[in-house]
Amino acid sequence: MLHLGTETGSRTTATTPAASGAPAPAAATGRHGAEPCDLVTVPARQGLEAVDILRRGADQEAVGPVLHDGACDTLGFLVPPGTAEAWDVPGSACTRTDGRGLRIPAEPPVTGSGWLLPPGDDAPVTDPAALRAALDQAARLIEAADNCR
């Protein structure tokens, strides 16, 4: 998994919605380093499917910078801060920044990782609602493909 160190707070894997019931915040925009981010980490296979789904969708801007950690075979989607509060997608983890950690970096923040989709000058982070839907669709596609064997 992508672990970003102490500057990002704790890693959580939520299985139920946050008690507050508040929706995840809308996607933030800004130049490198301008906005803090949370990080949603998923298995690479599901993440790659989700990236394809997001990039083929009507809103191709729904996917922001994506990290690839080849050693752990995971993808990390940068999402708005506070996303971890309501993240409830099984099989994924959301790392909180608590408003003080990871910002959109020009270089991958984790040794051994690289950008699958690098950040642009004013790249938005991935919209959590769009990511949630794409990950769900990707899981169904993977399950269907695996059942055809």
Side-chain angles (χ1 to χ4, degrees):
M1 287 218 161
L2 294 169
H3 295 283
L4 302 177
T6 58
E7 73 276 1
T8 60
S10 63
R11 184 181 72 78
T12 62
T13 304
T15 55
T16 58
S20 68
T29 60
R31 293 173 295 155
H32 295 294
E35 297 291 333
C37 304
D38 284 0
L39 182 77
V40 172
T41 307
V42 299
R45 185 177 179 199
Q46 184 179 13
L48 290 169
E49 287 288 343
V51 167
D52 285 345
I53 291 164
L54 289 166
R55 294 186 81 184
R56 285 191 317 256
D59 182 11
Q60 294 181 4
E61 298 295 318
V63 64
V66 178
L67 288 163
H68 177 247
D69 183 345
C72 294
D73 203 25
T74 59
L75 290 187
F77 293 82
L78 298 180
V79 294
T83 298
E85 295 296 321
W87 193 254
D88 62 349
V89 178
S92 67
C94 192
T95 303
R96 297 177 222 232
T97 64
D98 298 326
R100 68 186 190 315
L102 178 68
R103 298 186 186 276
I104 300 176
E107 297 297 321
V110 180
T111 302
S113 68
W115 290 113
L116 178 68
L117 296 175
D121 286 336
D122 46 331
V125 294
T126 300
D127 177 84
L131 179 58
R132 183 183 314 272
L135 289 171
D136 183 51
Q137 184 177 352
R140 290 191 313 269
L141 288 171
I142 291 168
E143 182 179 4
D146 288 350
N147 288 335
C148 288
R149 291 183 184 176

